[in-house]
Amino acid sequence: MIRVPDRFFKFCGWMLLLSGLLTTIIQYIHLEDVPSGMEQMDIFVDVAVWTHIGLLISFTMFLMGFVGLYLRQAAGLKWWGWLSFGMLFLFFMLDGTHSPVQIFGYPVFFDNIQTEEQLQAASDLVMRIGSEGPGFALMILLMPLMLFGSILMGISMLRARILPKWPAIMTLVSVIFIFLPYGPVTKYIFPLPYLIYAWYGWILAFEKRDETAALIEEMRTRDAKGIHVKEVEQSI
């Protein structure tokens, strides 16, 4: 049986913590996909490029930390709990694919825009990229991946009973946000689930475990070939 060093879990915790905080901040300064008018052109491209550079970095950190979150609870997860790992990993991977479009494409699409007609033509081209072709088919997967992935994640981590239950409960509560209509108020609610991952990151980064407690915990949460916890405790 392979043991994962606690240092790895702490590293993953820091990745989740920083990623959750960074992604939340970025979502609050994130602009719409296209400029609202010529008056926004002075800042639009620079903000779009740098926020998506930040998201690319943040999502990369998240995917590294996300692996540790599941490995930490591996002894208590059922097979369907691991389905949530695949669903959410794919969600964040696909969601991050739009970042290169804004990082590399926007400085070209919106270069030397002088009139509203030019701006409209450039905006229409950008919207076509996101609504046509194979990329659009992949984007359709985002909502079901997030919905079913979050439900399975919350339930499986509650049942695993390895980490504190409240982040898992809040994961299930956050599913409600998926169904809220986008608007002036609700747009400030959608980034909040990223703070749940930051919460998990804090737990992984700062939890303290000794080897004896870790072994007993593992034996309590896995089907251990008929070996009882008391036998393990007596053997230590």
Side-chain angles (χ1 to χ4, degrees), residues 152-163:
L152 286 177
M153 175 184 172
I155 295 173
S156 64
M157 291 188 176
L158 270 177
R159 288 174 60 90
R161 293 184 298 178
I162 292 177
L163 296 181

Side-chain angles (χ1 to χ4, degrees), residues 7 11-12 48 71-72 108 110 137 175-176 187 214 216 223:
R7 291 189 300 274
F11 168 78
C12 291
L71 286 179
R72 174 67 182 84
V108 177
F110 294 105
V175 171
I176 298 172
K187 69 179 182 180
I216 294 173
D223 295 326

Side-chain angles (χ1 to χ4, degrees), residues 196-211:
I196 299 173
Y197 293 110
W199 190 355
Y200 271 125
W202 177 276
I203 293 170
L204 290 180
F206 293 101
E207 71 171 343
K208 297 185 182 299
R209 296 191 305 153
D210 57 52
E211 290 298 318

Side-chain angles (χ1 to χ4, degrees), residues 142-158:
L142 290 180
M143 184 171 181
L145 286 173
M146 173 57 81
L147 174 61
F148 295 112
S150 296
I151 293 173
L152 286 177
M153 175 184 172
I155 295 173
S156 64
M157 291 188 176
L158 270 177

Side-chain angles (χ1 to χ4, degrees), residues 166-200:
W166 283 107
I169 293 174
M170 292 308 299
T171 298
L172 293 174
V173 172
S174 71
V175 171
I176 298 172
F177 299 166
I178 299 175
F179 298 99
L180 294 177
Y182 185 82
V185 176
T186 55
K187 69 179 182 180
Y188 296 106
I189 297 177
F190 292 127
L192 296 180
Y194 293 106
L195 294 179
I196 299 173
Y197 293 110
W199 190 355
Y200 271 125

Side-chain angles (χ1 to χ4, degrees), residues 120-139:
Q120 187 61 51
S123 298
D124 289 344
L125 179 59
V126 168
M127 298 308 292
R128 283 184 59 193
I129 294 174
S131 61
E132 297 181 10
F136 176 65
L138 291 176
M139 292 301 103

Side-chain angles (χ1 to χ4, degrees), residues 82-108:
W82 288 100
L83 285 180
S84 67
F85 172 79
M87 289 178 180
L88 292 173
F89 193 98
L90 185 58
F91 169 84
F92 282 98
M93 187 183 72
L94 290 177
D95 195 31
T97 57
H98 79 284
S99 291
V101 174
Q102 299 208 20
I103 294 170
F104 298 106
Y106 275 28
V108 177

